[in-house]
């Protein structure tokens, strides 16, 4: 069997992906997450926080909520239907940190939770911090002149 024949066989056996349905689910569930964040911002502003502080508090609330839902094994059920709708917002980042921590808790707090918690999110944090340091240095140098 040639490589081309094998590829054709695979294409015939592969189930068809419902891409429009998947995109729609990602859009509306991701939109609900954003709506929840906006409701939280408005709520914090109504409680007396400044807009920027309310935005920070709303982000922290979404992170805590997604970590809680991950711990209760509910986040994966939502993500199963929403796909990128739950991965792209900040809630997906919190899930990426909480999931390995929960999965490896039986190995102990240091070698399990501590070591595995950042396996997925670690590179994002490292490159994000590194990029911000480089940007900060460039900004600092350009303001000297």
């Amino acid at each position: 069997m040639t490589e081309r024949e094998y590829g054709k066989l695979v294409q015939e056996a592969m189930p068809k992906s419902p891409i429009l349905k998947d995109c729609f689910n990602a859009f509306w569930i991701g939109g609900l997450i954003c709506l929840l964040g906006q409701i939280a911002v408005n709520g914090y502003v109504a409680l007396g926080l400044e807009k920027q502080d309310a935005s920070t508090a709303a982000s922290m609330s979404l992170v805590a909520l997604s970590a809680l839902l991950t711990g209760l094994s509910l986040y994966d059920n939502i993500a199963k239907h929403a796909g990128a709708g739950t991965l792209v917002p900040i809630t997906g980042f919190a899930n990426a940190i909480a999931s390995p921590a929960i999965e490896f808790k039986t190995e102990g707090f240091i070698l399990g939770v501590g070591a595995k918690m950042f396996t997925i999110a670690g590179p994002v944090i490292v490159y994000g911090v590194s990029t911000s340091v480089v940007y900060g240095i460039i900004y600092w140098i350009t303001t000297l002149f």
Side-chain angles (χ1 to χ4, degrees):
M1 179 178 286
T2 66
E3 189 174 324
R4 175 172 260 165
E5 291 171 336
Y6 180 74
K8 184 177 178 186
L9 186 65
V10 167
Q11 288 296 326
E12 290 172 2
M14 189 182 325
K16 303 297 180 222
S17 176
I19 192 149
L20 288 176
K21 178 183 161 208
D22 291 346
C23 289
F24 177 74
N25 285 340
F27 177 77
W28 77 265
I29 293 175
L32 281 178
I33 292 170
C34 293
L35 177 65
L36 181 62
Q38 187 61 51
I39 290 170
V41 169
N42 293 349
Y44 287 125
V45 167
L47 291 174
L49 288 178
E50 296 291 326
K51 177 83 170 169
Q52 187 171 0
D53 294 336
S55 297
T56 301
S59 294
M60 291 174 14
S61 298
L62 287 174
V63 166
L65 180 62
S66 84
L68 176 67
L69 291 175
T70 299
L72 296 173
S73 298
L74 297 173
Y75 197 89
D76 288 339
N77 293 335
I78 297 168
K80 191 184 312 178
H81 299 289
T86 56
L87 295 177
V88 175
I90 194 170
T91 55
F93 184 72
N95 175 263
I97 291 176
S99 286
I102 292 167
E103 184 177 342
F104 292 100
K105 69 181 176 189
T106 57
E107 295 181 22
F109 282 112
I110 295 174
L111 296 178
V113 174
K116 301 294 184 178
M117 188 163 57
F118 296 106
T119 55
I120 295 173
V124 175
I125 294 170
V126 169
Y127 288 113
V129 170
S130 301
T131 303
S132 67
V133 167
V134 170
Y135 177 78
I137 291 170
I138 292 170
Y139 179 77
W140 176 69
I141 289 172
T142 58
T143 58
L144 291 176
F145 302 107

